Amino acid sequence: MKILGLLALGALLASGAAHARPFALDRDGALPMLVTDGSATTRLAADLLGRDLEALTGIAGRRVERLVDCPQRCIVIGSADTALVREVAGAIGADLAPLAGQRERYVRSMGRADGREVLLIAGADRRGAVYGVVDASRELGISPWEWWADVRPARKTGLTLDGAQRLSPAPSVTWRGIFINDEDWGLQPWAAKTHDPVKDIGPRTYARVFELMWRLKANLLWPAMHDSTKAFYTIPGNAQAADDHAIVIGTSHAEPMMRNNVGEWQTSFGEFNWFTNRDALLGYWQQRVDEVKGFENVYTLGLRGVHDSAMEGASGPDQARATVEEVITAQRAILARSVGQSPERIPQAFTMYKEVLDYYNRGLRVPDDITLVWPEDNYGYLNQLGTARERERSGGNGIYYHVSYWGRPHDYLWLGTTHPALIRDQLQRAWATGAHRLWMLNVGDIKPNEYLAEYFLDAAFDAGVLGQDPARHLAAWAGRQFGAAHGEEIAAIKLEYYRLAWERRPEFMGWSQTEPTRPVRTTEYIRTGGEEAERRLAAYHALVRRAEALQARLPAQLRDAYFQLVLYPVRSSASLNERILKLDLAAEYARQQRPSSNLYVRQARQAHAAIAADAAAYNALANGKWAHFMDVAPRRLPVFAEPVYPAYDRSTRRGCGLVYPAPHSVEASQLVVPAGRKVSRTLTLVSHGGQDAAWSVAPGARGVRLDLASGRLDASNGHEQRLVLHVDGSAAPALTLRCGAQALKVNLQAQAADAALPGERERIVVLPAASATASPDWEALPGLGTSGKAMRARLDLPSRGPEALAGVAPLEYRFQTRSEGGAMLRMVAVPVHALTAENRLRIAVQLDDGPLETFDYTTVGRSDEWKRNVLGNMAVRSSARARLDPGVHTLRIHALDPGVVLDRIDVVMDGAPEYYGLPPAD
């Protein structure tokens, strides 16, 4: 049909009613034809939509490139500047004007054209058209993880899409990307041995990566670059696949000018040293820019070592700083020559990773049009963000963030365990300080960081996501993958998984470090005498039961996906914790002359076998689709190695006994409970020497109820029974247990307490940060911290001194103590870094009418304190009191700097047990 005819028909049909009807997809056993503008990108997008529709309906569709080849119902996909899209838009009355000058937006509209029913997806550019297709698939129920995690959609009929004209929102962050990294144990062996004909991460693998990026609305890739993998540009087809998918390519912080140094810098080139081999470096960079200048790129500038190391040859940081400035000038000259544009018009980034941030803070000057990319410390905490002056740069600001990491003090490459609440906090900081140009996420092997990648990229595309409690986002995500009926439960399971890993990631449970690599040692969960480790094991056990119960309720087609996204990480992290903690408990209980040590050793061995079995099951999923992907021992670090399983001699001690929760404290032989308040406590009944014995609750119990009233101590339970006591608050509770021929009276001590105020448990008062009275200087961060109730000093709060606090309302806590003697105030914070170079991390604390004390959580570089902080997600400042009188106390905490995150306050009385993590509280 002639263009004028189409335009005239459009004028007749340009009423709102023409756009209000739904567009039917499966009608009379057929799908609409997919009509593209002829570009490689829209062809691929149409093919993706066709596969999605076939997965939903079981009906195969057809793609054509001319409207005349579509006789009845058509989905037209293309860029707004193409003839096809302009003609169709005119015919159906779709308004393309809002796309002028826009990036990555689309218009979707329905109408009729010469007897055809047409749904138009018109992009402002190639990616805009792709995102129109992606949004259509999402509306129909296709998960971004339909291929990468086997989230198979249920078959449906009567599918429709809304036909009303819509304009998609603009992305919040300009460049939104993923960095495939540390791929040696997952993505690379899987691609080489299972998926890709080139026996490496080649175009077939990258095509799947690019489709995933489409579905997550990412537009920038830093390709895999370890020495296990051939360099991206050395494999034919990789670069073209990226361009066909409209994916922008960049390179990592250590790889300037689109080079993958590990695979491309040859020893024959000489040293990778600017001072001794400048011409070779310049030629090396020039060659690559000449090769790729026709593609969309974001060029990394600067100079480090060949592979994630400091600059070679520099005599010190000042010379390195000056040299980086010199190198950037030379690199921009290369870009100007090759690309044929002024450098200000070429996308460039400078990532201030590790020592480079030190150079920058020593005065390194970066041209204003280059994007400053602020890194985090590899463990989830942004080192520094831009000041007001830096936010005004024409090149803008960005961030580089990890959810997977190889390096010191310890890797976390195995399971995706970064808490979404931490990601939210850090991204809020980036957004608040104007880092809107580039967000890059190190995803490791992609799997098993699926959800974390989606959360990060959802926020990058729409920063409004950051205004929502991350638990809501997680529940909505789970509902989309597994059905709305299961969303809340799956979110609860994953949040508990993240909570347990927050206190200590599974990979960190060996209490070892790497670079240099050190052997594992006894965990600090044993310091209480076993109770804290038992509580952690019980929490993991309950979580696994909950996750397995939900799996049984899912339809068969979703169980592979559920295993990958939920059950595998839950069960494997539980198994590693069990193997480690059971062995530590076995040793501790042998010291206590308890009989369960050998049982715990057997259970540890079973837990290690379970890790291997679950990995084998993962690699066998979907008829071997994921073979070689899941490796349970990345880098073969000591924490993953199967340990020696000791055998313990039987103790000479005989008879039944009771073990109280805090055997290494002054309350070692008693259970102290508050009068007037219902509480639960644990107690362990033991038959020493491994003698079988029946036990029961003796008559006359008062104010106490047990979950179990009787049982037997034998080899099946290690001759021990852990009991849960429910105390009703009576002033004089009483309980006696019969064990064999013995009567064991439980030493229950009821202490008077004000039920309205937090009080001691095991001589510790725990005050979650958010339990304070409100202060305008602080804001709640739900889900964050060991307490799950963290408070953050407002990000727009100006730094100030204690002298400026007059009339300022603090966080205020009231609590009660009963113990005589000294005390320690432990202010536990989340180990964030100062918001900008102009801030620190200070709080001011006042107990009762005492003096105001100032505490600063700022750490120096990669110090031992920083290492402890990031391995446990805790930063602690303490204040000792020689004496704290029993009674009611008031604690006030002021923020002196923006961004401080307070987790909880522990008031630890003399003689209390020593907990590693969150102490128990009623």
Side-chain angles (χ1 to χ4, degrees):
M1 177 176 270
K2 301 293 187 184
I3 293 176
L4 289 177
L6 284 171
L7 293 174
L9 182 60
L12 292 173
L13 297 174
S15 67
H19 300 278
R21 300 187 310 276
F23 182 82
L25 294 171
D26 56 321
R27 180 190 291 169
D28 301 325
L31 296 173
M33 282 192 178
L34 301 172
V35 186
T36 75
D37 64 8
S39 72
T41 304
T42 53
R43 289 191 199 106
L44 290 166
D47 290 345
L48 179 141
L49 181 58
R51 294 199 311 271
D52 290 350
L53 291 174
E54 184 172 2
L56 287 162
T57 65
I59 304 169
R62 184 181 167 203
R63 172 173 58 79
V64 298
E65 293 185 4
R66 299 188 306 165
L67 189 61
V68 295
D69 293 330
C70 176
Q72 293 181 322
R73 292 185 304 121
C74 320
I75 299 177
V76 177
I77 304 166
S79 298
D81 61 355
T82 60
L84 171 69
V85 170
R86 289 197 303 270
E87 292 169 6
V88 171
I92 68 174
D95 184 8
L96 300 182
L99 297 179
Q102 298 293 302
R103 297 179 69 255
E104 301 184 346
R105 303 181 76 181
Y106 66 86
V107 163
R108 194 172 89 190
S109 188
M110 173 186 165
R112 298 190 67 82
D114 196 20
R116 302 177 183 87
E117 192 174 0
V118 176
L119 183 73
L120 173 65
I121 299 174
D125 49 24
R126 294 189 297 168
R127 284 185 293 276
V130 167
Y131 296 157
V133 168
V134 165
D135 280 351
S137 281
R138 283 193 177 191
E139 289 170 44
L140 296 169
I142 298 293
S143 166
W145 304 101
E146 52 82 35
W147 192 85
W148 276 95
D150 302 303
V151 183
R152 301 183 182 92
R155 287 289 176 89
K156 300 177 182 178
T157 57
L159 292 175
T160 63
L161 286 169
D162 177 19
Q165 175 147 328
R166 67 168 63 179
L167 172 66
S168 68
S172 296
V173 176
T174 305
W175 304 115
R176 309 167 305 279
I178 62 171
F179 177 22
I180 296 173
N181 193 216
D182 307 325
E183 68 277 7
D184 312 47
W185 295 274
L187 188 66
Q188 199 283 333
W190 167 79
K193 299 175 182 178
T194 302
H195 184 72
D196 207 302
V198 303
K199 307 301 181 186
D200 209 322
I201 304 177
R204 185 180 183 197
T205 302
Y206 274 119
R208 286 297 187 181
V209 171
F210 299 149
E211 281 190 1
L212 176 64
M213 293 174 67
W214 276 3
R215 294 186 187 276
L216 299 176
K217 296 186 179 176
N219 57 16
L220 174 64
L221 177 76
W222 289 357
M225 40 67 76
H226 268 216
D227 55 7
S228 64
T229 308
K230 292 185 180 69
F232 180 80
Y233 287 108
T234 66
I235 296 181
N238 279 354
Q240 191 59 53
D243 190 59
D244 289 347
H245 286 85
I247 295 297
V248 183
I249 299 297
T251 46
S252 78
H253 52 82
E255 301 176 300
M257 303 294 278
M258 308 303 291
R259 281 290 191 177
N260 293 140
N261 293 334
V262 174
E264 295 189 294
W265 183 262
Q266 305 298 316
T267 56
S268 61
F269 299 167
E271 296 178 319
F272 195 80
N273 187 313
W274 179 258
F275 305 99
T276 62
N277 203 16
R278 172 183 174 136
D279 289 345
L281 284 169
L282 290 172
Y284 173 70
W285 293 331
Q286 180 79 60
Q287 179 186 19
R288 176 51 44 78
V289 173
D290 288 342
E291 291 169 353
V292 304
K293 63 185 179 182
F295 298 124
E296 281 192 272
N297 308 306
V298 174
Y299 293 91
T300 291
L301 301 190
L303 179 64
R304 299 185 70 219
V306 170
H307 178 47
D308 198 6
S309 59
M311 181 190 299
E312 296 179 21
S315 61
D318 287 330
Q319 186 184 27
R321 172 187 54 76
T323 302
V324 170
E325 292 181 3
E326 182 183 348
V327 167
I328 288 175
T329 299
Q331 290 170 337
R332 284 162 66 82
I334 290 172
L335 291 175
R337 275 196 309 273
S338 291
V339 179
Q341 295 181 346
S342 65
E344 293 80 7
R345 299 184 60 191
I346 301 170
Q348 300 155 69
F350 179 68
T351 303
M352 297 167 288
Y353 189 66
K354 291 186 177 177
E355 77 287 343
V356 181
L357 183 59
D358 296 332
Y359 307 159
Y360 180 81
N361 286 330
R362 295 176 79 96
L364 188 154
R365 292 166 297 181
V366 180
D368 196 66
D369 59 279
I370 297 176
T371 302
L372 291 180
V373 180
W374 304 95
E376 42 75 74
D377 62 3
N378 305 315
Y379 293 84
Y381 300 99
L382 288 161
N383 283 296
Q384 181 179 321
L385 288 158
T387 63
R389 178 184 57 81
E390 288 159 338
R391 292 170 213 163
E392 298 303 316
R393 296 168 48 82
S394 62
N397 291 252
I399 62 170
Y400 170 45
Y401 198 83
H402 291 76
V403 289
S404 174
Y405 179 64
W406 164 339
R408 64 182 187 275
H410 203 284
D411 306 359
Y412 57 101
L413 301 172
W414 180 33
L415 302 174
T417 50
T418 302
H419 202 298
L422 176 63
I423 296 175
R424 179 197 186 213
D425 165 66
Q426 297 294 297
L427 297 187
Q428 284 180 327
R429 292 164 186 266
W431 189 254
T433 54
H436 303 167
R437 183 62 59 88
L438 186 155
W439 286 9
M440 174 58 65
L441 182 67
N442 186 321
V443 296
D445 292 307
I446 299 175
K447 301 167 70 65
N449 283 301
E450 296 98 336
Y451 172 69
L452 300 179
E454 183 164 348
Y455 182 53
F456 181 96
L457 292 169
D458 278 0
F461 193 84
D462 176 10
V465 166
L466 299 174
Q468 179 186 55
D469 182 341
R472 294 293 89 219
H473 183 277
L474 179 54
W477 174 86
R480 290 192 298 272
Q481 315 311 309
F482 301 105
H486 302 299
E488 293 288 342
E489 175 68 358
I490 291 173
I493 289 167
K494 287 190 73 72
L495 285 171
E496 176 68 353
Y497 161 78
Y498 291 127
R499 182 191 73 81
L500 289 164
W502 170 266
E503 203 169 82
R504 198 80 181 184
R505 294 184 196 260
E507 295 93 335
F508 303 166
M509 283 297 296
W511 253 262
S512 52
Q513 294 189 17
T514 191
E515 297 182 8
T517 298
R518 302 169 190 169
V520 299
R521 65 176 177 86
T522 301
T523 72
E524 294 183 15
Y525 282 107
I526 302 299
R527 295 185 303 192
T528 60
E531 178 64 16
E532 188 175 18
E534 293 282 9
R535 285 173 47 219
R536 185 169 176 84
L537 287 170
Y540 266 120
H541 185 59
L543 181 62
V544 169
R545 288 202 312 269
R546 192 174 183 181
E548 290 175 343
L550 195 146
Q551 181 194 41
R553 300 197 298 270
L554 290 174
Q557 71 187 43
L558 289 176
R559 289 183 185 171
D560 280 2
Y562 183 78
F563 187 82
Q564 293 168 66
L565 296 173
V566 182
L567 186 57
Y568 176 79
V570 164
R571 208 152 63 187
S572 291
S573 58
S575 293
L576 185 61
N577 271 265
E578 183 170 12
R579 192 203 75 200
I580 290 170
L581 292 176
K582 290 278 185 176
L583 286 179
D584 284 356
L585 285 168
E588 172 64 21
Y589 291 168
R591 287 189 290 270
Q592 296 178 23
Q593 298 188 61
R594 290 170 57 172
S596 57
S597 294
N598 287 318
L599 172 65
Y600 275 44
V601 170
R602 291 195 297 274
Q603 291 171 339
R605 189 191 297 269
Q606 292 164 3
H608 188 83
I611 294 171
D614 276 337
Y618 195 114
N619 290 323
L621 289 170
N623 297 316
K625 174 181 175 180
W626 301 114
H628 307 289
F629 208 110
M630 186 51 61
D631 189 314
V632 298
R635 284 228 285 166
R636 307 301 181 253
L637 295 181
V639 69
F640 301 119
E642 185 165 16
V644 174
Y645 299 105
Y648 292 96
D649 294 333
R650 183 172 295 182
S651 169
T652 57
R653 188 176 175 184
R654 295 291 183 268
C656 293
L658 297 172
V659 180
Y660 291 87
H664 298 333
S665 75
V666 298
E667 294 183 0
S669 59
Q670 58 184 327
L671 271 181
V672 180
V673 296
R677 187 189 307 166
K678 293 182 179 180
V679 296
S680 296
R681 295 288 188 267
T682 58
L683 184 71
T684 302
L685 180 62
V686 177
S687 176
H688 293 286
Q691 304 296 303
D692 291 358
W695 69 269
S696 62
V697 174
R702 183 173 64 249
V704 184
R705 177 180 59 81
L706 275 66
D707 286 342
L708 294 175
S710 63
R712 186 170 180 81
L713 306 179
D714 55 27
S716 67
N717 54 25
H719 295 92
E720 297 188 8
Q721 179 65 59
R722 187 172 168 84
L723 303 171
V724 180
L725 285 62
H726 303 285
V727 185
D728 66 8
S730 300
L735 176 67
T736 299
L737 300 174
R738 294 194 181 281
C739 182
Q742 294 178 256
L744 302 173
K745 184 178 181 180
V746 178
N747 185 7
L748 283 162
Q749 300 291 322
Q751 299 281 346
D754 183 345
L757 293 176
E760 293 180 37
R761 177 170 173 180
E762 298 175 14
R763 301 175 73 87
I764 303 172
V765 182
V766 178
L767 302 171
S771 65
T773 55
S775 165
D777 288 347
W778 297 81
E779 55 193 343
L781 293 179
L784 188 59
T786 56
S787 69
K789 301 175 181 179
M791 295 293 286
R792 181 179 65 198
R794 279 192 356 256
L795 297 177
D796 61 352
L797 188 76
S799 287
R800 59 198 176 188
E803 71 282 354
L805 296 177
V808 176
L811 295 175
E812 186 170 289
Y813 306 85
R814 296 184 74 240
F815 63 95
Q816 58 189 322
T817 60
R818 56 173 170 77
S819 299
E820 300 278 354
M824 181 73 71
L825 292 181
R826 297 179 73 248
M827 280 74 68
V828 181
V830 174
V832 299
H833 298 290
L835 191 63
T836 76
E838 298 174 344
N839 307 115
R840 292 187 71 82
L841 287 166
R842 297 166 302 148
I843 60 173
V845 178
Q846 182 184 36
L847 179 61
D848 296 329
D849 296 323
L852 199 65
E853 296 181 88
T854 299
F855 298 94
D856 192 340
Y857 289 95
T858 306
T859 54
V860 178
R862 299 168 70 80
S863 63
D864 286 343
E865 181 189 13
W866 169 80
K867 291 174 183 177
R868 287 194 304 272
N869 287 355
V870 297
L871 291 173
N873 286 316
M874 291 185 290
V876 180
R877 293 292 180 264
S878 298
S879 178
R881 296 292 186 273
R883 179 173 175 78
L884 188 64
D885 292 331
V888 176
H889 303 276
T890 302
L891 180 69
R892 301 175 185 88
I893 299 182
H894 290 274
L896 299 179
D897 291 294
V900 180
V901 180
L902 190 62
D903 179 354
R904 68 177 198 269
I905 303 97
D906 298 339
V907 184
V908 183
M909 309 301 295
D910 286 352
E914 190 177 0
Y915 280 92
Y916 163 72
L918 177 69
D922 294 322

